[in-house]
Amino acid sequence: DRDVTGVQTCALPILGWEAVFYITGGITIFWFFLWAIMCFGSPYEHPTISEVEFNYIKTKIGDSMANKERIPTPWRDILRSPRVWAILITHPCCTWGHYTMLIEIPSFLKSALHFDMKNNAWISAAPHLLSWFISLALIYIGDALVARGLVTTTTVRKINMTFAMWVSAAMSIGVAYSGCNYVVTVFLLTLAVGFIGGVYGGVLCNHIDIAPNFAGVLLGMSNTLARSEERRVGKECRSR
């Protein structure tokens, strides 16, 4: 969603503010039709899956996908798991950082650095575009390292979250000491948002890492808290 936001920001001077809704709505409708046509309940039901991909998924997840029997959700084990609670805390924290940046950066650039955001759309879009590239790069590098046996999956997750939270936080603190130097400020803000992309190879993968059969349940729990935090941040910003 944030990468679409960057594209929307660039389109505003050309297409007007309505472009935000047209672009988002159009992409959502297009994605839905692709999802409805191409997605199935399991690899066993997919009519066009290649043998290589089928064997890869089967090796990684196992034959549990072929079992039609519904597995009871182990709520007690879920609620008593430290790993689950780590996800439930980290996911909303990442969302808070992301949406605080998403909402506040244009306002900060306009009020503190006196940027005309209508004519400098790329400055608002750059952090989110960089986040997209960084997320892809970290995931690709992490998978390559795991495939070569150089690191474990857990280590990759921790490295991604270090970039997403600690490096991003350090860049944000640097902004506070950059004064009115707009070059340094924009550079640090771009990096701060860009490195948040590490969450895609970090906490957002943890659900399936720790419980493949109940990843949907865990994501539903953590995403509910994350969306609540998103709305809270938006409400606070609107009340100012």
Side-chain angles (χ1 to χ4, degrees), residues 1-62:
D1 56 346
R2 59 176 169 206
D3 307 314
V4 174
T5 301
V7 176
Q8 291 171 336
T9 303
C10 297
L12 287 180
I14 302 173
L15 304 178
W17 63 267
E18 298 92 343
V20 172
F21 303 97
Y22 290 139
I23 294 175
T24 304
I27 292 177
T28 302
I29 293 172
F30 178 70
W31 170 87
F32 169 76
F33 283 112
L34 290 180
W35 178 85
I37 295 171
M38 302 175 65
C39 292
F40 294 83
S42 76
Y44 294 91
E45 302 172 12
H46 202 293
T48 61
I49 189 171
S50 67
E51 183 177 354
V52 174
E53 184 178 4
F54 177 84
N55 290 333
Y56 174 81
I57 296 174
K58 183 178 178 180
T59 301
K60 293 296 181 180
I61 300 180

Side-chain angles (χ1 to χ4, degrees), residues 57 60-61 87 153 157 202-216 218-219:
I57 296 174
K60 293 296 181 180
I61 300 180
I87 294 173
T153 300
R157 300 288 182 256
V203 67
L204 295 184
C205 294
N206 285 152
H207 310 80
I208 199 168
D209 287 337
I210 67 173
N213 289 322
F214 306 104
L218 298 183
L219 182 59

Side-chain angles (χ1 to χ4, degrees), residues 227-238:
R227 294 314 107 190
S228 298
E229 188 65 17
E230 171 191 331
R231 288 191 292 271
R232 187 186 67 81
V233 171
K235 184 177 180 181
E236 286 184 0
C237 293
R238 288 192 299 270

Side-chain angles (χ1 to χ4, degrees), residues 13-203:
I14 302 173
L15 304 178
W17 63 267
E18 298 92 343
V20 172
F21 303 97
Y22 290 139
I23 294 175
T24 304
I27 292 177
T28 302
I29 293 172
F30 178 70
W31 170 87
F32 169 76
F33 283 112
L34 290 180
W35 178 85
I37 295 171
M38 302 175 65
C39 292
F40 294 83
S42 76
Y44 294 91
E45 302 172 12
H46 202 293
T48 61
I49 189 171
S50 67
E51 183 177 354
V52 174
E53 184 178 4
F54 177 84
N55 290 333
Y56 174 81
I57 296 174
K58 183 178 178 180
T59 301
K60 293 296 181 180
I61 300 180
D63 289 325
S64 60
M65 297 176 296
N67 186 3
K68 299 297 184 179
E69 183 180 353
R70 182 179 179 86
I71 305 175
T73 303
W75 289 109
R76 177 176 293 184
D77 292 335
I78 287 175
L79 295 176
R80 294 173 63 181
S81 171
R83 296 174 180 84
V84 171
W85 282 103
I87 294 173
L88 294 180
I89 293 172
T90 306
H91 192 172
C93 287
C94 292
T95 298
W96 177 84
H98 169 216
Y99 277 91
T100 297
M101 291 288 192
L102 182 67
I103 295 172
E104 295 291 354
I105 283 180
S107 299
F108 174 77
L109 292 176
K110 181 179 179 180
S111 60
L113 301 182
H114 308 294
F115 274 31
D116 180 2
M117 298 315 301
K118 184 177 180 180
N119 296 321
N120 293 278
W122 278 105
I123 295 177
S124 287
H128 308 289
L129 294 174
L130 179 64
S131 178
W132 178 52
F133 285 114
I134 287 179
S135 65
L136 294 176
L138 289 177
I139 291 171
Y140 178 82
I141 294 171
D143 284 348
L145 293 175
V146 171
R148 289 171 172 78
L150 299 177
V151 296
T152 64
T153 300
T154 301
T155 300
V156 170
R157 300 288 182 256
K158 291 179 178 179
I159 292 173
N160 275 273
M161 291 310 297
T162 298
F163 281 111
M165 302 193 76
W166 290 101
V167 175
S168 181
M171 298 298 103
S172 300
I173 292 173
V175 172
Y177 294 94
S178 62
C180 294
N181 189 325
Y182 73 88
V183 175
V184 175
T185 301
V186 170
F187 176 74
L188 292 175
L189 281 175
T190 300
L191 291 180
V193 176
F195 280 113
I196 292 178
V199 299
Y200 290 102
V203 67

